[in-house]
Amino acid sequence: MTSDDSAGGQRPRRATLDDAAVVAQLLHDFNTEFSTPTPGTQELESRLTQLLAGDDVVVLLTGEPASGVAVLSFRPNVWYRGPVAILDELYVRPELRGHRLGSALLDAALDLVRRRGGALLEINVDGEDTDARRFYEAHGFTNTEPNQTDPMLYYYREL
């Protein structure tokens, strides 16, 4: 983070159960900004209260009041000794973008994954979201496997 950060130079911190409502609001605002369905803040807060009580989902917050959020999920994986993490969400309020808050959250997420013994952080990005793709690529992420040129694709099916 630089000295002009709106977070006052604070490092991102791990969210606690007391932060569930704040995290829910940030995630709701994220989806609303990008016209993505959201179950609403009450449902998100209920889910976050359960998830934050465990260790498989970690939420990082930056700013006071919180103005950015990163949500990480950890799981075992046969190809790696430590856990594999996925960055489920990374969001910074629009008026605070350009102050390296997203970079600080991403760096803190990478540090956390390393401290837990993880060797891989996965991120899914919408193909048309060129700003997000540019951001992650600038931080060393790629969507091709080593020695390959075709991009990796993400498939899903809601059940």
Side-chain angles (χ1 to χ4, degrees), residues 123-125 127 143-145 150-156:
I123 303 168
N124 296 313
V125 179
N143 67 343
T144 57
E145 292 185 292
D150 290 332
M152 291 184 283
L153 302 175
Y154 166 73
Y155 291 86
Y156 75 97

Side-chain angles (χ1 to χ4, degrees), residues 2 5 9 13 19 30 41 48 70 79 82 87 99 114 142 147 150:
T2 63
D5 285 336
R13 65 175 178 84
D19 296 309
F30 183 19
T41 56
L48 285 160
W79 302 113
L87 183 63
H99 294 278
R114 286 186 197 102
T142 181
N147 303 316
D150 290 332

Side-chain angles (χ1 to χ4, degrees), residues 36-37 154-159:
T36 303
Y154 166 73
Y155 291 86
Y156 75 97
R157 179 178 168 185
E158 288 189 8
L159 304 176

Side-chain angles (χ1 to χ4, degrees), residues 8-24:
Q10 297 175 357
R11 288 191 43 82
R13 65 175 178 84
R14 185 171 177 168
T16 67
L17 286 170
D18 293 337
D19 296 309
V22 171
V23 174

Side-chain angles (χ1 to χ4, degrees), residues 83-139:
V84 167
I86 185 163
L87 183 63
D88 291 314
E89 306 294 347
L90 179 71
Y91 176 70
V92 173
R93 293 201 178 281
E95 66 274 13
L96 295 173
R97 293 180 190 151
H99 294 278
R100 301 198 43 80
L101 300 178
S103 293
L105 283 165
L106 185 57
D107 289 344
L110 289 164
D111 288 344
L112 176 62
V113 173
R114 286 186 197 102
R115 283 195 317 272
R116 286 186 161 205
L120 183 70
L121 177 60
E122 299 174 329
I123 303 168
N124 296 313
V125 179
D126 293 335
E128 70 274 359
D129 193 344
T130 56
D131 289 338
R133 291 172 52 200
R134 186 173 30 255
F135 173 80
Y136 292 121
E137 288 169 8
H139 286 84

Side-chain angles (χ1 to χ4, degrees), residues 35-76:
S35 301
T36 303
T38 173
T41 56
Q42 288 182 326
E43 178 63 25
L44 287 168
E45 184 177 353
S46 174
R47 292 176 190 176
L48 285 160
T49 299
Q50 292 176 335
L51 294 170
L52 290 172
D55 210 32
D56 294 335
V57 173
V58 175
V59 176
L60 301 173
L61 293 170
T62 192
E64 193 56 50
S67 52
V69 63
V71 180
L72 294 140
S73 296
F74 290 84
R75 69 180 191 288

